[in-house]
Tab-separated table of all heavy atoms in Angstrom:
chain	number	residue	atom	x	y	z
A	240	MET	N	-0.876	-6.317	-33.630
A	240	MET	CA	-2.064	-5.591	-34.084
A	240	MET	C	-2.045	-4.178	-33.508
A	240	MET	O	-1.948	-4.006	-32.294
A	240	MET	CB	-3.308	-6.335	-33.599
A	240	MET	CG	-4.571	-5.843	-34.271
A	240	MET	SD	-5.937	-6.997	-33.975
A	240	MET	CE	-7.027	-5.970	-33.012
A	241	PRO	N	-2.092	-3.177	-34.353
A	241	PRO	CA	-2.031	-1.801	-33.852
A	241	PRO	C	-3.265	-1.428	-33.045
A	241	PRO	O	-4.359	-1.890	-33.338
A	241	PRO	CB	-1.931	-0.958	-35.125
A	241	PRO	CG	-2.495	-1.821	-36.198
A	241	PRO	CD	-2.202	-3.246	-35.793
A	242	VAL	N	-3.048	-0.610	-32.042
A	242	VAL	CA	-4.165	-0.124	-31.228
A	242	VAL	C	-4.699	1.149	-31.854
A	242	VAL	O	-3.989	2.136	-31.980
A	242	VAL	CB	-3.712	0.148	-29.782
A	242	VAL	CG1	-4.873	0.701	-28.965
A	242	VAL	CG2	-3.183	-1.125	-29.156
A	243	ALA	N	-5.947	1.130	-32.268
A	243	ALA	CA	-6.521	2.269	-32.971
A	243	ALA	C	-7.301	3.187	-32.051
A	243	ALA	O	-7.670	4.282	-32.437
A	243	ALA	CB	-7.427	1.784	-34.091
A	244	ALA	N	-7.532	2.733	-30.840
A	244	ALA	CA	-8.337	3.543	-29.933
A	244	ALA	C	-7.907	3.263	-28.505
A	244	ALA	O	-7.272	2.253	-28.225
A	244	ALA	CB	-9.819	3.236	-30.106
A	245	LEU	N	-8.256	4.181	-27.611
A	245	LEU	CA	-7.976	3.967	-26.206
A	245	LEU	C	-9.217	4.314	-25.406
A	245	LEU	O	-10.110	4.995	-25.879
A	245	LEU	CB	-6.768	4.775	-25.755
A	245	LEU	CG	-6.778	6.285	-25.957
A	245	LEU	CD1	-7.573	7.002	-24.883
A	245	LEU	CD2	-5.362	6.814	-25.972
A	246	THR	N	-9.233	3.826	-24.188
A	246	THR	CA	-10.365	4.099	-23.316
A	246	THR	C	-10.072	5.337	-22.484
A	246	THR	O	-9.107	5.359	-21.728
A	246	THR	CB	-10.654	2.910	-22.394
A	246	THR	OG1	-10.920	1.763	-23.202
A	246	THR	CG2	-11.851	3.190	-21.507
A	247	ALA	N	-10.876	6.358	-22.656
A	247	ALA	CA	-10.743	7.574	-21.869
A	247	ALA	C	-11.628	7.462	-20.631
A	247	ALA	O	-12.816	7.173	-20.737
A	247	ALA	CB	-11.163	8.782	-22.696
A	248	GLU	N	-11.034	7.660	-19.467
A	248	GLU	CA	-11.794	7.705	-18.216
A	248	GLU	C	-11.877	9.147	-17.759
A	248	GLU	O	-10.871	9.843	-17.694
A	248	GLU	CB	-11.064	6.907	-17.126
A	248	GLU	CG	-11.501	5.473	-17.010
A	248	GLU	CD	-10.906	4.808	-15.778
A	248	GLU	OE1	-10.636	5.520	-14.777
A	248	GLU	OE2	-10.698	3.604	-15.830
A	249	TRP	N	-13.062	9.577	-17.405
A	249	TRP	CA	-13.207	10.960	-16.927
A	249	TRP	C	-14.291	11.024	-15.862
A	249	TRP	O	-15.207	10.203	-15.844
A	249	TRP	CB	-13.491	11.910	-18.085
A	249	TRP	CG	-14.755	11.626	-18.848
A	249	TRP	CD1	-14.905	10.733	-19.872
A	249	TRP	CD2	-16.034	12.231	-18.669
A	249	TRP	NE1	-16.201	10.752	-20.329
A	249	TRP	CE2	-16.916	11.664	-19.613
A	249	TRP	CE3	-16.511	13.218	-17.793
A	249	TRP	CZ2	-18.266	12.045	-19.712
A	249	TRP	CZ3	-17.848	13.602	-17.891
A	249	TRP	CH2	-18.705	13.025	-18.842
A	250	ASN	N	-14.152	12.017	-14.992
A	250	ASN	CA	-15.117	12.197	-13.909
A	250	ASN	C	-16.056	13.343	-14.243
A	250	ASN	O	-15.611	14.432	-14.605
A	250	ASN	CB	-14.400	12.524	-12.597
A	250	ASN	CG	-13.761	11.289	-11.991
A	250	ASN	OD1	-14.213	10.166	-12.209
A	250	ASN	ND2	-12.696	11.483	-11.248
A	251	CYS	N	-17.338	13.099	-14.096
A	251	CYS	CA	-18.333	14.145	-14.298
A	251	CYS	C	-18.139	15.245	-13.261
A	251	CYS	O	-18.014	14.962	-12.067
A	251	CYS	CB	-19.735	13.546	-14.179
A	251	CYS	SG	-21.028	14.781	-14.375
A	252	THR	N	-18.108	16.501	-13.707
A	252	THR	CA	-17.922	17.603	-12.766
A	252	THR	C	-19.210	17.942	-12.037
A	252	THR	O	-19.197	18.688	-11.070
A	252	THR	CB	-17.416	18.862	-13.496
A	252	THR	OG1	-18.369	19.237	-14.496
A	252	THR	CG2	-16.078	18.602	-14.157
A	253	ARG	N	-20.327	17.413	-12.502
A	253	ARG	CA	-21.602	17.703	-11.846
A	253	ARG	C	-21.925	16.666	-10.773
A	253	ARG	O	-22.274	17.016	-9.662
A	253	ARG	CB	-22.723	17.744	-12.879
A	253	ARG	CG	-24.076	18.065	-12.249
A	253	ARG	CD	-25.204	17.860	-13.221
A	253	ARG	NE	-25.312	18.958	-14.178
A	253	ARG	CZ	-26.205	18.972	-15.163
A	253	ARG	NH1	-27.029	17.963	-15.337
A	253	ARG	NH2	-26.256	19.983	-15.994
A	254	CYS	N	-21.810	15.390	-11.116
A	254	CYS	CA	-22.246	14.351	-10.176
A	254	CYS	C	-21.112	13.439	-9.731
A	254	CYS	O	-21.310	12.621	-8.836
A	254	CYS	CB	-23.389	13.535	-10.788
A	254	CYS	SG	-22.861	12.411	-12.100
A	255	GLY	N	-19.938	13.541	-10.340
A	255	GLY	CA	-18.793	12.770	-9.888
A	255	GLY	C	-18.701	11.359	-10.441
A	255	GLY	O	-17.771	10.633	-10.120
A	256	THR	N	-19.657	10.978	-11.266
A	256	THR	CA	-19.627	9.636	-11.843
A	256	THR	C	-18.411	9.473	-12.753
A	256	THR	O	-18.055	10.388	-13.492
A	256	THR	CB	-20.913	9.392	-12.666
A	256	THR	OG1	-22.019	9.391	-11.783
A	256	THR	CG2	-20.860	8.058	-13.407
A	257	THR	N	-17.755	8.317	-12.676
A	257	THR	CA	-16.678	7.992	-13.596
A	257	THR	C	-17.272	7.441	-14.880
A	257	THR	O	-18.036	6.474	-14.863
A	257	THR	CB	-15.723	6.958	-12.983
A	257	THR	OG1	-15.151	7.507	-11.805
A	257	THR	CG2	-14.609	6.612	-13.958
A	258	ASN	N	-16.930	8.064	-15.984
A	258	ASN	CA	-17.412	7.636	-17.300
A	258	ASN	C	-16.249	7.111	-18.123
A	258	ASN	O	-15.097	7.486	-17.906
A	258	ASN	CB	-18.042	8.826	-18.028
A	258	ASN	CG	-19.295	9.316	-17.349
A	258	ASN	OD1	-20.370	8.771	-17.534
A	258	ASN	ND2	-19.162	10.359	-16.544
A	259	ARG	N	-16.568	6.273	-19.074
A	259	ARG	CA	-15.540	5.748	-19.975
A	259	ARG	C	-16.033	5.875	-21.406
A	259	ARG	O	-17.193	5.639	-21.701
A	259	ARG	CB	-15.231	4.282	-19.666
A	259	ARG	CG	-14.492	4.101	-18.367
A	259	ARG	CD	-14.200	2.651	-18.069
A	259	ARG	NE	-13.559	2.526	-16.751
A	259	ARG	CZ	-14.215	2.498	-15.608
A	259	ARG	NH1	-15.531	2.575	-15.617
A	259	ARG	NH2	-13.571	2.400	-14.478
A	260	LYS	N	-15.095	6.230	-22.280
A	260	LYS	CA	-15.438	6.385	-23.681
A	260	LYS	C	-14.268	5.891	-24.512
A	260	LYS	O	-13.109	6.181	-24.195
A	260	LYS	CB	-15.711	7.866	-23.990
A	260	LYS	CG	-16.038	8.167	-25.439
A	260	LYS	CD	-16.117	9.690	-25.632
A	260	LYS	CE	-16.250	10.051	-27.106
A	260	LYS	NZ	-17.612	9.858	-27.599
A	261	LEU	N	-14.564	5.164	-25.565
A	261	LEU	CA	-13.523	4.700	-26.475
A	261	LEU	C	-13.230	5.817	-27.475
A	261	LEU	O	-14.121	6.275	-28.184
A	261	LEU	CB	-14.002	3.435	-27.194
A	261	LEU	CG	-12.906	2.529	-27.762
A	261	LEU	CD1	-11.953	2.059	-26.675
A	261	LEU	CD2	-13.539	1.339	-28.469
A	262	VAL	N	-11.964	6.253	-27.494
A	262	VAL	CA	-11.579	7.419	-28.282
A	262	VAL	C	-10.505	7.021	-29.292
A	262	VAL	O	-9.526	6.378	-28.925
A	262	VAL	CB	-11.027	8.536	-27.365
A	262	VAL	CG1	-10.638	9.760	-28.163
A	262	VAL	CG2	-12.047	8.889	-26.292
A	263	PRO	N	-10.636	7.421	-30.548
A	263	PRO	CA	-9.568	7.155	-31.522
A	263	PRO	C	-8.269	7.796	-31.071
A	263	PRO	O	-8.263	8.909	-30.546
A	263	PRO	CB	-10.085	7.809	-32.807
A	263	PRO	CG	-11.567	7.869	-32.641
A	263	PRO	CD	-11.813	8.054	-31.157
A	264	LEU	N	-7.145	7.113	-31.283
A	264	LEU	CA	-5.856	7.613	-30.808
A	264	LEU	C	-5.517	8.978	-31.386
A	264	LEU	O	-4.820	9.761	-30.765
A	264	LEU	CB	-4.745	6.622	-31.179
A	264	LEU	CG	-4.521	5.478	-30.194
A	264	LEU	CD1	-3.405	4.581	-30.691
A	264	LEU	CD2	-4.178	6.017	-28.818
A	265	ALA	N	-5.985	9.275	-32.566
A	265	ALA	CA	-5.645	10.536	-33.215
A	265	ALA	C	-6.338	11.720	-32.554
A	265	ALA	O	-5.939	12.861	-32.750
A	265	ALA	CB	-6.026	10.479	-34.695
A	266	ASP	N	-7.379	11.463	-31.789
A	266	ASP	CA	-8.139	12.557	-31.201
A	266	ASP	C	-7.444	13.107	-29.967
A	266	ASP	O	-7.111	12.366	-29.045
A	266	ASP	CB	-9.545	12.090	-30.809
A	266	ASP	CG	-10.448	11.948	-32.013
A	266	ASP	OD1	-9.934	12.044	-33.137
A	266	ASP	OD2	-11.653	11.738	-31.824
A	267	ALA	N	-7.223	14.417	-29.947
A	267	ALA	CA	-6.629	15.049	-28.782
A	267	ALA	C	-7.714	15.578	-27.843
A	267	ALA	O	-7.437	15.961	-26.724
A	267	ALA	CB	-5.724	16.198	-29.204
A	268	ARG	N	-8.944	15.590	-28.319
A	268	ARG	CA	-10.038	16.138	-27.512
A	268	ARG	C	-11.335	15.571	-28.063
A	268	ARG	O	-11.462	15.352	-29.266
A	268	ARG	CB	-10.049	17.666	-27.630
A	268	ARG	CG	-11.236	18.323	-26.950
A	268	ARG	CD	-11.274	19.788	-27.236
A	268	ARG	NE	-10.095	20.501	-26.695
A	268	ARG	CZ	-9.957	21.805	-26.722
A	268	ARG	NH1	-10.870	22.555	-27.286
A	268	ARG	NH2	-8.892	22.373	-26.218
A	269	THR	N	-12.261	15.336	-27.182
A	269	THR	CA	-13.553	14.858	-27.660
A	269	THR	C	-14.631	15.321	-26.693
A	269	THR	O	-14.338	15.960	-25.683
A	269	THR	CB	-13.553	13.318	-27.806
A	269	THR	OG1	-14.761	12.913	-28.453
A	269	THR	CG2	-13.466	12.651	-26.451
A	270	THR	N	-15.861	15.036	-27.014
A	270	THR	CA	-16.959	15.371	-26.119
A	270	THR	C	-17.696	14.095	-25.753
A	270	THR	O	-17.708	13.125	-26.504
A	270	THR	CB	-17.941	16.371	-26.755
A	270	THR	OG1	-18.482	15.800	-27.949
A	270	THR	CG2	-17.257	17.680	-27.080
A	271	ASP	N	-18.289	14.109	-24.574
A	271	ASP	CA	-19.042	12.954	-24.123
A	271	ASP	C	-20.109	13.444	-23.160
A	271	ASP	O	-20.008	14.534	-22.605
A	271	ASP	CB	-18.097	11.957	-23.422
A	271	ASP	CG	-18.733	10.574	-23.277
A	271	ASP	OD1	-19.783	10.312	-23.912
A	271	ASP	OD2	-18.179	9.762	-22.522
A	272	ARG	N	-21.110	12.614	-22.987
A	272	ARG	CA	-22.162	12.913	-22.027
A	272	ARG	C	-22.032	11.986	-20.840
A	272	ARG	O	-21.775	10.799	-20.993
A	272	ARG	CB	-23.535	12.677	-22.675
A	272	ARG	CG	-24.192	13.915	-23.152
A	272	ARG	CD	-25.546	13.565	-23.757
A	272	ARG	NE	-25.972	14.592	-24.701
A	272	ARG	CZ	-26.464	15.763	-24.322
A	272	ARG	NH1	-26.620	16.049	-23.055
A	272	ARG	NH2	-26.812	16.655	-25.231
A	273	CYS	N	-22.249	12.533	-19.648
A	273	CYS	CA	-22.243	11.706	-18.451
A	273	CYS	C	-23.361	10.675	-18.540
A	273	CYS	O	-24.503	11.014	-18.835
A	273	CYS	CB	-22.436	12.586	-17.222
A	273	CYS	SG	-22.553	11.628	-15.696
A	274	MET	N	-23.004	9.425	-18.271
A	274	MET	CA	-24.015	8.371	-18.377
A	274	MET	C	-25.018	8.456	-17.232
A	274	MET	O	-26.089	7.876	-17.307
A	274	MET	CB	-23.341	6.993	-18.378
A	274	MET	CG	-22.625	6.667	-17.080
A	274	MET	SD	-21.875	5.013	-17.143
A	274	MET	CE	-21.126	4.957	-15.513
A	275	HIS	N	-24.662	9.172	-16.166
A	275	HIS	CA	-25.533	9.241	-14.996
A	275	HIS	C	-26.487	10.444	-15.071
A	275	HIS	O	-27.688	10.294	-14.941
A	275	HIS	CB	-24.693	9.311	-13.725
A	275	HIS	CG	-25.514	9.336	-12.467
A	275	HIS	ND1	-26.197	8.235	-12.023
A	275	HIS	CD2	-25.764	10.329	-11.579
A	275	HIS	CE1	-26.846	8.565	-10.901
A	275	HIS	NE2	-26.595	9.824	-10.617
A	276	CYS	N	-25.946	11.644	-15.280
A	276	CYS	CA	-26.790	12.845	-15.229
A	276	CYS	C	-26.957	13.492	-16.592
A	276	CYS	O	-27.743	14.419	-16.738
A	276	CYS	CB	-26.234	13.856	-14.219
A	276	CYS	SG	-24.735	14.684	-14.762
A	277	GLY	N	-26.228	13.032	-17.588
A	277	GLY	CA	-26.438	13.531	-18.945
A	277	GLY	C	-25.731	14.832	-19.271
A	277	GLY	O	-25.897	15.361	-20.358
A	278	ALA	N	-24.909	15.357	-18.343
A	278	ALA	CA	-24.203	16.611	-18.595
A	278	ALA	C	-23.160	16.413	-19.694
A	278	ALA	O	-22.388	15.456	-19.669
A	278	ALA	CB	-23.528	17.104	-17.317
A	279	ARG	N	-23.123	17.342	-20.655
A	279	ARG	CA	-22.158	17.243	-21.737
A	279	ARG	C	-20.824	17.837	-21.299
A	279	ARG	O	-20.779	18.912	-20.714
A	279	ARG	CB	-22.675	17.986	-22.965
A	279	ARG	CG	-21.729	17.916	-24.150
A	279	ARG	CD	-22.200	18.826	-25.262
A	279	ARG	NE	-23.459	18.372	-25.834
A	279	ARG	CZ	-23.544	17.430	-26.787
A	279	ARG	NH1	-22.465	16.876	-27.265
A	279	ARG	NH2	-24.713	17.069	-27.263
A	280	HIS	N	-19.742	17.151	-21.583
A	280	HIS	CA	-18.409	17.593	-21.203
A	280	HIS	C	-17.475	17.544	-22.407
A	280	HIS	O	-17.643	16.714	-23.303
A	280	HIS	CB	-17.813	16.691	-20.120
A	280	HIS	CG	-18.434	16.869	-18.763
A	280	HIS	ND1	-19.729	16.537	-18.490
A	280	HIS	CD2	-17.913	17.346	-17.607
A	280	HIS	CE1	-19.984	16.806	-17.214
A	280	HIS	NE2	-18.897	17.299	-16.652
A	281	THR	N	-16.495	18.420	-22.395
A	281	THR	CA	-15.346	18.291	-23.279
A	281	THR	C	-14.240	17.624	-22.485
A	281	THR	O	-13.931	18.044	-21.370
A	281	THR	CB	-14.881	19.671	-23.769
A	281	THR	OG1	-15.932	20.264	-24.528
A	281	THR	CG2	-13.635	19.532	-24.648
A	282	ILE	N	-13.643	16.580	-23.030
A	282	ILE	CA	-12.602	15.861	-22.294
A	282	ILE	C	-11.305	15.858	-23.095
A	282	ILE	O	-11.299	15.745	-24.318
A	282	ILE	CB	-13.037	14.420	-21.934
A	282	ILE	CG1	-13.403	13.615	-23.179
A	282	ILE	CG2	-14.225	14.446	-20.977
A	282	ILE	CD1	-13.671	12.135	-22.891
A	283	GLU	N	-10.201	16.010	-22.360
A	283	GLU	CA	-8.869	16.023	-22.963
A	283	GLU	C	-7.961	15.108	-22.149
A	283	GLU	O	-8.077	15.043	-20.930
A	283	GLU	CB	-8.285	17.436	-22.949
A	283	GLU	CG	-9.089	18.427	-23.769
A	283	GLU	CD	-8.491	19.816	-23.682
A	283	GLU	OE1	-7.554	20.096	-24.443
A	283	GLU	OE2	-8.941	20.602	-22.846
A	284	PRO	N	-7.044	14.419	-22.799
A	284	PRO	CA	-6.160	13.511	-22.065
A	284	PRO	C	-5.174	14.280	-21.198
A	284	PRO	O	-4.709	15.348	-21.578
A	284	PRO	CB	-5.427	12.746	-23.174
A	284	PRO	CG	-5.472	13.658	-24.357
A	284	PRO	CD	-6.764	14.428	-24.236
A	285	ASP	N	-4.862	13.713	-20.026
A	285	ASP	CA	-3.760	14.264	-19.248
A	285	ASP	C	-2.459	13.604	-19.716
A	285	ASP	O	-2.429	12.916	-20.728
A	285	ASP	CB	-4.018	14.104	-17.739
A	285	ASP	CG	-3.839	12.671	-17.257
A	285	ASP	OD1	-3.494	11.787	-18.079
A	285	ASP	OD2	-4.051	12.426	-16.066
A	286	ALA	N	-1.391	13.766	-18.988
A	286	ALA	CA	-0.082	13.283	-19.439
A	286	ALA	C	-0.063	11.764	-19.630
A	286	ALA	O	0.668	11.249	-20.466
A	286	ALA	CB	0.995	13.711	-18.454
A	287	ARG	N	-0.857	11.052	-18.844
A	287	ARG	CA	-0.820	9.603	-18.929
A	287	ARG	C	-1.797	9.061	-19.971
A	287	ARG	O	-1.791	7.877	-20.269
A	287	ARG	CB	-1.133	8.980	-17.561
A	287	ARG	CG	-0.065	9.282	-16.532
A	287	ARG	CD	-0.397	8.610	-15.200
A	287	ARG	NE	-1.723	9.030	-14.718
A	287	ARG	CZ	-2.677	8.172	-14.349
A	287	ARG	NH1	-2.476	6.899	-14.408
A	287	ARG	NH2	-3.825	8.636	-13.921
A	288	ARG	N	-2.664	9.905	-20.471
A	288	ARG	CA	-3.644	9.529	-21.488
A	288	ARG	C	-4.612	8.443	-21.028
A	288	ARG	O	-5.231	7.785	-21.847
A	288	ARG	CB	-2.955	9.072	-22.789
A	288	ARG	CG	-2.287	10.226	-23.524
A	288	ARG	CD	-1.821	9.799	-24.892
A	288	ARG	NE	-2.931	9.434	-25.757
A	288	ARG	CZ	-3.628	10.285	-26.501
A	288	ARG	NH1	-3.338	11.556	-26.493
A	288	ARG	NH2	-4.605	9.869	-27.254
A	289	VAL	N	-4.725	8.244	-19.732
A	289	VAL	CA	-5.705	7.262	-19.242
A	289	VAL	C	-6.838	8.002	-18.552
A	289	VAL	O	-8.005	7.865	-18.901
A	289	VAL	CB	-5.054	6.258	-18.274
A	289	VAL	CG1	-6.107	5.316	-17.698
A	289	VAL	CG2	-3.979	5.468	-19.006
A	290	ARG	N	-6.438	8.803	-17.555
A	290	ARG	CA	-7.414	9.635	-16.867
A	290	ARG	C	-7.537	10.944	-17.636
A	290	ARG	O	-6.566	11.657	-17.809
A	290	ARG	CB	-6.947	9.890	-15.431
A	290	ARG	CG	-7.820	10.834	-14.678
A	290	ARG	CD	-9.176	10.276	-14.391
A	290	ARG	NE	-9.118	9.103	-13.499
A	290	ARG	CZ	-10.196	8.509	-12.999
A	290	ARG	NH1	-11.384	8.941	-13.306
A	290	ARG	NH2	-10.063	7.469	-12.219
A	291	TRP	N	-8.733	11.247	-18.109
A	291	TRP	CA	-8.903	12.448	-18.898
A	291	TRP	C	-9.483	13.571	-18.057
A	291	TRP	O	-10.200	13.339	-17.083
A	291	TRP	CB	-9.802	12.173	-20.100
A	291	TRP	CG	-9.098	11.369	-21.176
A	291	TRP	CD1	-8.264	10.299	-20.982
A	291	TRP	CD2	-9.162	11.574	-22.581
A	291	TRP	NE1	-7.810	9.847	-22.190
A	291	TRP	CE2	-8.351	10.595	-23.185
A	291	TRP	CE3	-9.830	12.500	-23.393
A	291	TRP	CZ2	-8.196	10.516	-24.567
A	291	TRP	CZ3	-9.682	12.412	-24.762
A	291	TRP	CH2	-8.870	11.436	-25.351
A	292	VAL	N	-9.139	14.790	-18.430
A	292	VAL	CA	-9.615	15.980	-17.735
A	292	VAL	C	-10.923	16.423	-18.394
A	292	VAL	O	-10.987	16.595	-19.618
A	292	VAL	CB	-8.575	17.109	-17.818
A	292	VAL	CG1	-9.078	18.350	-17.088
A	292	VAL	CG2	-7.243	16.640	-17.237
A	293	ALA	N	-11.941	16.606	-17.575
A	293	ALA	CA	-13.262	16.954	-18.102
A	293	ALA	C	-13.675	18.330	-17.639
A	293	ALA	O	-13.407	18.742	-16.511
A	293	ALA	CB	-14.290	15.931	-17.641
A	294	ARG	N	-14.336	19.070	-18.530
A	294	ARG	CA	-14.997	20.300	-18.116
A	294	ARG	C	-16.368	20.326	-18.760
A	294	ARG	O	-16.540	19.874	-19.905
A	294	ARG	CB	-14.173	21.521	-18.490
A	294	ARG	CG	-14.030	21.743	-19.973
A	294	ARG	CD	-13.462	23.129	-20.257
A	294	ARG	NE	-13.492	23.404	-21.696
A	294	ARG	CZ	-12.534	23.038	-22.536
A	294	ARG	NH1	-11.482	22.413	-22.095
A	294	ARG	NH2	-12.652	23.320	-23.820
A	295	GLN	N	-17.308	20.834	-18.000
A	295	GLN	CA	-18.676	20.834	-18.498
A	295	GLN	C	-18.833	21.898	-19.575
A	295	GLN	O	-18.350	23.020	-19.422
A	295	GLN	CB	-19.647	21.097	-17.343
A	295	GLN	CG	-21.082	20.796	-17.717
A	295	GLN	CD	-22.001	20.793	-16.510
A	295	GLN	OE1	-21.539	20.733	-15.382
A	295	GLN	NE2	-23.277	20.879	-16.757
A	296	ASP	N	-19.495	21.566	-20.672
A	296	ASP	CA	-19.728	22.520	-21.757
A	296	ASP	C	-20.858	23.483	-21.396
A	296	ASP	O	-21.748	23.132	-20.661
A	296	ASP	CB	-20.101	21.770	-23.029
A	296	ASP	CG	-18.869	21.061	-23.618
A	296	ASP	OD1	-17.755	21.368	-23.198
A	296	ASP	OD2	-19.073	20.208	-24.478
B	477	LIG	ZN1	-22.863	13.367	-14.183
């Protein structure tokens, strides 16, 4: 069964909370909100595509 999505893990740059978001494999970048403080971030996969790099919008 093909994997259509992966779990992106990213750290909030404001409060440090680890967030997780299910992202379609085709997406090279997405946006998400911190579940703890609500800060909106743009997240991009790093080389391993597990831990994503986040920057606050
Ligand atoms: Zn946060």
Side-chain angles (χ1 to χ4, degrees):
M240 193 166 115
V242 178
L245 56 80
T246 301
E248 267 189 29
W249 61 276
N250 284 333
C251 179
T252 59
R253 181 190 282 177
C254 73
T256 294
T257 299
N258 294 278
R259 289 180 184 83
K260 178 187 172 78
L261 202 58
V262 181
L264 274 180
D266 284 9
R268 174 187 297 186
T269 188
T270 60
D271 196 13
R272 260 181 203 283
C273 176
M274 65 179 180
H275 182 71
C276 72
R279 181 188 294 276
H280 287 66
T281 297
I282 58 173
E283 297 178 84
D285 74 1
R287 294 182 303 128
R288 290 189 65 86
V289 176
R290 175 68 64 174
W291 286 41
V292 180
R294 66 168 187 274
Q295 193 169 344
D296 287 346

